[in-house]
Amino acid sequence: MANPSPIDTLKQAIPNGVFTKRGEELYETLNGSYLSGFESDLKPSWIVQPRTKEDVAAFLKTISSYPESVAFAVRGGGQQPLPGCANIQDGITLDLRLLTGIDPSDGIVKVGAGERWGSVYERLGADGLAVAGGRSATNGIGGLALEGGLSFFSSGRGFICDNVINYEVALASGEIVNANADDNADLWVALKGAGNNLGIVTRYDFRTFQQGQIWGGFLFYFAPTFPSQLEALVDVLHDPVESKRTHLMVSIGYSAMFGSDVMCLNQPYYLDAVENPPVLDIFSKMQPQLDALNTMRLQTVAEAAAEQAGGVQSQVRHVILMSCDTSRCAYMNITVKADVATLQAATDIYTGGLGPVQSVEGLTASFTLQPYPVSLIEQSETTGGNSLGLKSSDGPLVSLLLLSYWKNKSDDDAVITFMKEALEKMKQDAASREQLVPFVYMNYAWTHQDPINSYGVENKKRLQKASKKYDPEGLFQKACPGGFKLFP
């Protein structure tokens, strides 16, 4: 008698789970709901949706009994565009969206792995609370809380992963453990930057804090003003008081909706309920700008996250991302010191290379600067540490993010080549100025990058040690091939 297939065994082990295969309506809906077509291009044989942590444990225990024959991927929100990080060709994709629950109590909120940040902010906002979570309402929890994660509140509270006080984790063996400062502390620290290498987190426990409205929004302006924005960005980053009270995103790029002109976008935020705080004047009141698209205002954290996600009330996000049937998306990044000349050189490299891709249908191409103030990195150091390898003595730093959205798969090579070539030129230029920092932010990394190595030798060794301890058979290295792995 033939042995049962892996999927039949899984159906027995997870009787209340949802199973859907190619050709079924639910399968097509789920597989088509990733942020980027690079992920939806992949077609798993089955998508499995567990309902409980025990279902996840049963999944892993079952998969472990089929060594060499079953490959799988794990999906949380599906918002990271890296091909294969949360989906797999011909294997099984474990989709965690049914693991819901938001439970705030005593300065902590327990969040199921299938939630989205918008729901978390809505629930906490009702109690006058917030959490250092994702900036977009549609972002999932896990990608940010396991790979670093930037928040509106990162300047004063560190990366999103630094705000996780406990991970509830299903290990490769099927055992469910908690990882925190007291229990499995080595796993707790390792998970803060490990991605999908050490287990499947079923619940995240974050510290909360009192929070009212914040001041911020979007505004568009023109390229001649951009050099002054770089200078202002660096000035704020070197101010230990103001850098802690602000969150800044400064971008330049091209969108088909604006015609042939290079355009600029600022997304500045002040983290207290203060209208028109003077520190943001230079980032929000420059002229000329497109006044009709200026959304600066007092708003709740939930409203700010909805705007970032392109909510109903976000005319701006609609213009830049929803102007066509956008289906392709890619990110890549490097990190540099907060140096005006380096940032200006990187800007010139990017805008100078845009010409050949401006004819790509539906293109929105952005070069976005996101600061890592010293206060952010200090929080990483004082909240138990993480795996990312950044040191406050190296700061302040700036993430240089290249992100592109476009319509057609046939343009993939042209856009990706432009992005890679521009990033490599920026990297070489920053290195020549001694302003390059090795760190590659995993949330924004592309296939040719190696964020794990960028954490440094010692951090990589600690991650490998944690893998050997908590996944001794290497299930997440061999059977879960997507993302960035710890071993060659």
Side-chain angles (χ1 to χ4, degrees), residues 212-262:
Q213 291 182 311
I214 62 177
W215 174 264
F218 292 13
L219 58 109
F220 288 88
Y221 58 101
F222 300 94
T225 307
F226 200 70
S228 69
Q229 300 301 290
L230 300 180
E231 294 173 3
L233 181 70
V234 171
D235 285 346
V236 170
L237 280 176
H238 283 94
D239 183 327
V241 175
E242 298 295 8
S243 64
K244 200 170 182 177
R245 298 160 71 181
T246 56
H247 180 71
L248 304 169
M249 291 176 274
V250 175
S251 305
I252 189 168
Y254 168 83
S255 177
M257 280 299 294
F258 291 113
S260 60
D261 291 338
V262 169

Side-chain angles (χ1 to χ4, degrees), residues 319-387:
V319 168
I320 63 173
L321 295 186
M322 304 304 291
S323 56
C324 67
D325 183 21
T326 299
S327 63
R328 317 301 288 173
C329 173
Y331 301 167
M332 54 190 72
N333 75 105
I334 58 173
T335 306
V336 301
K337 296 188 177 183
D339 172 71
V340 173
T342 301
L343 300 182
Q344 184 61 62
T347 301
D348 293 342
I349 290 167
Y350 186 80
T351 56
L354 275 169
V357 294
Q358 284 181 295
S359 60
V360 169
E361 186 176 1
L363 179 70
T364 293
S366 175
F367 175 53
T368 298
L369 311 181
Q370 300 184 93
Y372 302 150
V374 171
S375 56
L376 183 161
I377 307 170
E378 286 176 341
Q379 283 298 306
S380 297
E381 295 168 343
T382 59
T383 53
N386 58 40
S387 297

Side-chain angles (χ1 to χ4, degrees), residues 36 38-39 80-83 329-333 406 412 416 419-420 423 440-451 484:
S36 176
F38 283 99
E39 284 282 71
Q80 189 170 346
L82 178 74
C329 173
Y331 301 167
M332 54 190 72
N333 75 105
W406 64 103
D412 287 359
I416 295 297
M419 294 174 71
K420 284 183 175 180
L423 192 74
V440 174
Y441 180 58
M442 189 184 288
N443 292 115
Y444 296 156
W446 197 245
T447 54
H448 68 297
Q449 300 194 275
D450 191 350
F484 299 98

Side-chain angles (χ1 to χ4, degrees), residues 160-235:
I160 292 172
C161 69
D162 297 320
N163 290 269
V164 180
I165 63 170
N166 180 71
Y167 295 95
E168 179 185 84
V169 194
L171 301 178
S173 64
E175 181 184 5
I176 299 171
V177 303
N178 286 293
N180 52 59
D182 298 316
D183 299 315
N184 303 301
D186 55 344
L187 179 60
W188 176 58
V189 174
L191 283 167
K192 294 188 278 186
N196 64 2
N197 280 293
L198 300 176
I200 299 177
V201 178
T202 54
R203 194 190 76 224
Y204 300 81
D205 301 349
F206 297 92
R207 66 176 61 86
T208 60
F209 49 88
Q210 295 289 325
Q211 180 66 46
Q213 291 182 311
I214 62 177
W215 174 264
F218 292 13
L219 58 109
F220 288 88
Y221 58 101
F222 300 94
T225 307
F226 200 70
S228 69
Q229 300 301 290
L230 300 180
E231 294 173 3
L233 181 70
V234 171
D235 285 346

